[in-house]
Amino acid sequence: MYSIPSLDLPPLATAGGRVRLPGSKSISNRVLLLAALSEGPTQVDDLLDSDDTRVMLDALRALGCQIDATGPQSVRVQGMGGRLGVREAALFLGNAGTAMRPLTAALALMATAQGARFELSGVPRMHERPIGDLVDALRQLGCPVQCLHNEGYPPLRIGDGQVHPLRLDAPIRVRGDVSSQFLTALLLALPLVAQHGDVVIEMATELISKPYIEITLNLLERFGVRVRRDGWDRFTIARGSRYSSPGRIAVEADASSASYFIALGAIAAPTPGTDGIAIEGIGLSSIQGDIRFVEAARLMGADIVGEDNALRVRRGAWPLKAIDLDCNHIPDAAMTLAVMALYADGTTTLRNIASWRVKETDRIAAMATECRQLGATVEEGADFIRITPPAAWRPATIHTYDDHRVAMCFSLAAFNPAQLPVRIDDPKCVGKTFPDYFETLFSVCRTPAERIPVICIDGPTASGKGTLAAEVASTLGYHLLDSGALYRLVGLAAEREGLSTTEADLRDPAHAERMGELAARLDVRFTPGKTWLEGEDVTEALRAEAAGMAASRVSAVPQVRAALLDLQLNFRHLPGLVADGRDMGTVIFPGAPLKVYLTASAEQRALRRHKQLISKGIPAILADLLADLQARDARDMNRTHAPLKPAEDAVLLDNSHLTIEQSVARVLDWWHGKQAFPAR
């Protein structure tokens, strides 16, 4: 996940390959709660690992439910059988409506019947999301529920520590025109108190987002409770209903998350050698209503072939076709249609989306504002949005409002025909449902190498270029290339494969060819402060004297130098690269838009090296270090191959009297000054 202030997406060109989606948020949190309320243990597989599921897991553990991790996306939940493990707790639920609403209902009924008291709170935005209709329904039942700040909104105090009788004889009336989560919450909670008679829920208004209720009813049945439904107006939970564990249950991949990759396949030309986008883990037999996004995408021209557990999507009609669609059946996934509309042949209207107003943000306002940033003409109403594609696309910084879906939707704007980059603010907000979204997107998207930005950082020994490069790469979310470590890596890899690096053997043409082949297939990755070879951290091994000596010898082998040239070029991956090394800007990436030549006085560099060695307990003499650096500078500047010198268009940065933070800030200022993003 990109935990950085903003992520710059270069203009993208094609897409193709396979993606495996994370588990559904809606299903994950429902299953966790149902498993906790049931009798017996439940093994839950393919669970979504996200902010929303983590707050649900934390809340259930705080309530006394035993939950053990059994794999990367698997847990074993020991059901509490509807009995509270604790009688008082304060639960923080972030911005997770799928945790706040169901836990409010379940805890209100259990606290009232068993004598307990709980406080439920979240982030500031959660305290702006209405819950009054659910609170009113719970008060009808006799549950003590108090809104602590503003009536009708969290935070809430549930129960007062005393046992109270529940009023279950009359139908419970609840509104359904604000959020279907209120009805879902009651459906999940009421089987806990249906031992002595049928419990009836009646809708006071028309129900929106019906497909999410279908998910709830389907899962209730998996846990032993069958609800009788009379249309969408009346729901009956039979007397004697109680939850029982299904033993094992797997969470479907998220249909809402699938919408971004369905749209990707519809928008992007297929990468040569691929057949568009293959989506695994969800298909046309999904129990999630958002799978009907497939129908909407087909209306816009997408070519989609579906199976039970997979979809294949590629561009069909182009430009996409404008549509006028009632989106009540796909409320979350419909946001993706708003960005697809930017690529349509006319004006697209999305109707019956009033629920967007009370989600993680006011999504109608958010989508309208950000589409306008890109150049679109947008009209918005209480329950609709109308989008006309840009006549002229504009570079834009997308504000994401701490809303995961806004961030994921607008990443698709990087395919704009004007070939303009797109900046996504606060990309880590995707952690709510799809922490690895951008990594997954980049894995199937391609663009010409010259569009992928590169920052080159060069300079003399001990100038701090490695530290600076790592910090800049980390701040921008870019890949890192430490070219100076590559020859050491070749020497280390040769040692591990039993290939000699003696000068005599390296002069043998056949042996030199083998060394070149070894260098060409190096599986190497750099992260701040770490170097990885074949997935193993070899940072310390590279610092050994033997690795340095081997590096010096193999660097003279032409086949190795040629192989490493190609290897370095292949480090240029989305979304960008920071390359550290003395010939990065002059030989490897001469077209890089920013080249920094980092320097400092020999005296200052010697002093830094002296402090570094002493801190590690290594004895050192400052005068000797200074003499060694001066001699090395002279050799580096006068060698035949890749002499040390700034590129002609390099920016000089003397960091003799700068901290690393100041140096990073200087480079970032230069970089952002070269970007196309306007200030907001």
Side-chain angles (χ1 to χ4, degrees):
M1 186 168 67
Y2 287 88
S3 299
I4 55 179
S6 62
L7 177 63
D8 293 350
L9 309 182
L12 302 176
T14 65
R18 293 184 173 274
V19 296
R20 182 82 185 184
L21 301 176
S24 161
K25 175 189 70 170
S26 298
I27 295 177
S28 290
N29 270 354
R30 284 168 171 82
V31 164
L32 288 174
L33 181 57
L34 288 168
L37 297 177
S38 296
E39 295 281 357
T42 303
Q43 174 68 31
V44 183
D45 297 321
D46 300 326
L47 184 70
L48 172 66
D49 179 14
S50 74
D51 295 344
D52 279 22
T53 52
R54 282 192 285 273
V55 297
M56 177 64 92
L57 287 165
D58 289 346
L60 294 176
R61 289 186 174 114
L63 293 169
C65 182
Q66 181 180 337
I67 302 175
D68 300 307
T70 56
Q73 282 85 41
S74 300
V75 295
R76 183 177 175 85
V77 181
Q78 183 61 50
M80 299 185 294
R83 297 176 294 276
L84 287 169
V86 300
R87 290 293 189 270
E88 188 166 350
L91 307 178
F92 176 78
L93 301 174
N95 200 11
T98 56
M100 175 65 77
R101 276 74 178 266
L103 280 171
T104 293
L107 292 179
L109 292 176
M110 290 192 287
T112 303
Q114 300 176 39
R117 179 171 55 199
F118 303 102
E119 288 192 7
L120 277 60
S121 65
V123 300
R125 174 58 186 171
M126 177 57 78
H127 296 170
E128 298 171 353
R129 298 176 66 179
I131 200 170
D133 296 324
L134 177 59
V135 168
D136 290 345
L138 293 169
R139 288 171 177 166
Q140 292 175 46
L141 290 163
C143 299
V145 181
Q146 181 182 356
C147 299
L148 296 178
H149 291 170
N150 297 311
E151 185 61 30
Y153 297 86
L156 306 173
R157 178 175 293 126
I158 293 171
D160 58 10
Q162 305 298 315
V163 174
H164 299 274
L166 289 166
R167 297 191 290 270
L168 299 169
D169 294 338
I172 303 142
R173 292 181 60 78
V174 64
R175 290 177 52 140
D177 56 350
V178 174
S179 174
S180 66
Q181 288 181 1
F182 301 154
L183 175 57
T184 278
L186 292 171
L187 289 169
L188 293 171
L190 286 168
L192 297 170
V193 293
Q195 284 73 43
H196 305 298
D198 291 353
V199 179
V200 177
I201 306 170
E202 289 184 350
M203 303 310 301
T205 60
E206 182 183 357
L207 177 64
I208 64 171
S209 305
K210 297 179 180 68
Y212 286 106
I213 301 304
E214 291 179 330
I215 294 175
T216 302
L217 297 175
N218 185 293
L219 292 174
L220 284 168
E221 192 164 346
R222 293 287 302 275
F223 282 84
V225 174
R226 185 176 183 85
V227 176
R228 187 169 69 251
R229 176 168 68 85
D230 299 319
W232 293 103
D233 300 320
R234 184 180 175 92
F235 301 82
T236 302
I237 298 161
R239 173 183 178 179
S241 294
R242 61 187 309 114
Y243 288 126
S244 59
S245 169
R248 192 178 202 105
I249 188 168
V251 176
E252 278 188 8
D254 187 56
S256 300
S257 296
S259 73
Y260 313 116
F261 292 95
I262 294 170
L264 174 64
I267 291 169
T271 299
T274 72
D275 193 27
I277 299 294
I279 302 169
E280 299 176 343
I282 191 165
L284 299 182
S285 62
S286 170
I287 67 171
Q288 299 167 73
D290 273 350
I291 195 61
R292 293 183 64 189
F293 181 85
V294 168
E295 301 168 10
R298 283 172 172 161
L299 287 175
M300 296 191 78
D303 178 355
I304 304 173
V305 176
E307 303 171 3
D308 283 348
N309 203 40
L311 299 169
R312 196 272 297 155
V313 190
R314 58 180 294 147
R315 184 194 276 187
W318 191 256
L320 295 175
K321 300 174 183 176
I323 58 173
D324 188 322
L325 187 67
D326 183 322
C327 297
N328 181 257
H329 60 300
I330 49 170
D332 284 343
M335 290 178 68
T336 313
L337 297 175
V339 176
M340 291 177 71
L342 299 173
Y343 299 93
D345 58 4
T347 299
T348 289
T349 303
L350 308 178
R351 303 182 186 278
N352 207 357
I353 53 172
S355 64
W356 285 20
R357 297 280 189 193
V358 294
K359 296 288 188 175
E360 283 81 344
T361 188
D362 181 339
R363 286 176 168 169
I364 292 180
M367 298 302 287
T369 299
E370 304 312 314
C371 283
R372 291 185 186 115
Q373 290 286 327
L374 293 162
T377 301
V378 184
E379 179 185 355
E380 61 174 290
D383 66 347
F384 75 89
I385 189 168
R386 185 172 291 118
I387 300 168
T388 303
W393 284 76
R394 298 196 295 255
T397 296
I398 302 298
H399 182 55
T400 52
Y401 310 88
D402 195 26
D403 190 330
H404 55 130
R405 300 206 185 281
V406 174
M408 292 186 277
C409 281
F410 281 102
S411 67
L412 301 174
F415 285 91
N416 65 82
Q419 299 179 10
L420 295 170
V422 176
R423 174 171 290 166
I424 305 293
D425 276 348
D426 189 28
K428 68 179 180 299
C429 67
V430 301
K432 183 176 176 68
T433 53
F434 200 159
D436 296 330
Y437 170 75
F438 288 106
E439 292 87 344
T440 304
L441 179 70
F442 294 145
S443 74
V444 293
C445 290
R446 298 291 179 269
T447 201
E450 60 271 16
R451 293 187 192 171
I452 301 176
V454 178
I455 300 173
C456 297
I457 298 180
D458 194 5
T461 298
S463 60
K465 59 184 179 293
T467 302
L468 177 62
E471 290 295 323
V472 170
S474 179
T475 303
L476 293 172
Y478 285 2
H479 297 280
L480 177 65
L481 168 57
D482 178 1
S483 66
L486 291 178
Y487 290 108
R488 286 176 175 261
L489 284 161
V490 173
L492 180 62
E495 177 188 344
R496 294 184 171 190
E497 291 200 12
L499 289 175
S500 170
T501 60
T502 66
E503 291 182 359
D505 286 332
L506 291 173
R507 283 194 293 269
D508 175 59
H511 192 74
E513 285 295 329
R514 286 195 292 273
M515 291 298 297
E517 292 167 0
L518 172 69
R521 66 173 188 270
L522 281 182
D523 178 10
V524 59
R525 180 169 59 93
F526 300 102
T527 58
K530 301 280 187 183
T531 302
W532 306 82
L533 179 63
E534 303 289 346
E536 177 187 350
D537 181 359
V538 295
T539 310
E540 291 301 321
L542 290 183
R543 292 172 179 159
E545 184 177 356
M549 297 296 290
S552 178
R553 294 189 295 270
V554 301
S555 66
V557 178
Q559 293 89 335
V560 172
R561 298 185 68 85
L564 291 185
L565 173 62
D566 290 338
L567 181 69
Q568 290 171 98
L569 290 172
N570 288 333
F571 267 84
R572 195 172 192 169
H573 294 305
L574 292 168
L577 173 68
V578 178
D580 156 28
R582 53 178 54 107
D583 57 355
M584 291 296 99
T586 54
V587 177
I588 310 300
F589 301 110
L594 178 61
K595 302 165 188 172
V596 177
Y597 188 81
L598 184 69
T599 188
S601 66
E603 291 77 11
Q604 186 65 37
R605 288 183 284 133
L607 182 60
R608 291 172 182 170
R609 177 64 60 85
H610 184 262
K611 289 180 178 178
Q612 182 184 49
L613 293 173
I614 295 300
S615 70
K616 295 180 178 180
I618 302 172
I621 299 172
L622 181 59
D624 291 346
L625 291 173
L626 176 58
D628 180 66
L629 279 173
Q630 289 172 329
R632 184 164 180 176
D633 285 351
R635 290 195 305 271
D636 287 346
M637 287 186 287
N638 293 291
R639 64 174 176 248
T640 303
H641 296 291
L644 177 63
K645 63 178 182 179
E648 290 185 3
D649 55 347
V651 181
L652 297 180
L653 176 58
D654 187 331
N655 71 350
S656 298
H657 304 291
L658 298 177
T659 65
I660 182 60
E661 292 79 14
Q662 289 171 326
S663 296
V664 170
R666 190 76 57 84
V667 172
L668 292 176
D669 282 344
W670 289 333
W671 180 242
H672 291 314
K674 290 178 174 289
Q675 304 308 295
F677 305 110
R680 292 191 61 154

